[in-house]
């Protein structure tokens, strides 16, 4: 006869509990990422609107700096999206 540390029923129960706990952690992390990305998008949008309003008087160098900042914001959003996708998709 084989000796096991616990019954199959207990093992299944433990696996179920672990899966639920992991699911809650992923949902919490996803919520944090969504909140972070939303905040970043809102900040970029607000800044872009301000800069567009002032943009009529900006020099060429300033316009390039604004476009660079917007591109950097897009890259950061892309990295956050990729990070979230890795967490949510197996």
């Amino acid at each position: 006869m084989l000796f096991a540390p616990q019954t199959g029923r207990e093992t299944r129960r433990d696996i179920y509990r672990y899966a639920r706990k992991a699911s809650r952690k992923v949902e919490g992390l996803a919520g944090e990422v969504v909140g972070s990305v939303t905040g970043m998008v809102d900040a970029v949008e607000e800044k872009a609107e301000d800069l567009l309003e002032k943009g009529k008087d900006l020099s060429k160098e300033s316009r390039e700096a604004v476009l660079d900042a917007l591109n950097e914001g897009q890259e950061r959003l892309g990295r956050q999206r990729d990070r979230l996708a890795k967490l949510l998709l197996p």
Side-chain angles (χ1 to χ4, degrees):
M1 177 172 203
L2 295 175
F3 292 100
Q6 60 188 23
T7 67
R9 177 178 286 165
E10 291 170 330
T11 300
R12 287 188 297 276
R13 182 198 65 213
D14 289 348
I15 291 170
Y16 175 75
R17 286 180 181 170
Y18 177 77
R20 283 184 46 199
K21 184 178 179 181
S23 175
R24 285 192 299 266
K25 283 185 178 183
V26 167
E27 287 173 3
L29 184 57
E32 289 178 24
V33 171
V34 167
S36 174
V37 170
T38 300
M40 190 184 309
V41 168
D42 290 344
V44 167
E45 183 178 23
E46 186 176 314
K47 196 68 159 173
E49 287 176 5
D50 289 345
L51 292 172
L52 288 173
E53 194 64 34
K54 296 176 184 177
K56 298 170 188 169
D57 300 327
L58 291 176
S59 69
K60 181 180 178 182
E61 291 176 7
S62 296
R63 287 185 202 142
E64 289 174 2
V66 168
L67 292 175
D68 289 343
L70 289 173
N71 286 333
E72 182 180 341
Q74 286 179 331
E75 289 174 11
R76 286 183 180 184
L77 287 172
R79 287 193 300 267
Q80 289 291 342
R81 182 191 62 234
D82 294 345
R83 180 177 167 220
L84 181 59
K86 285 179 184 178
L87 289 172
L88 296 178
L89 301 174

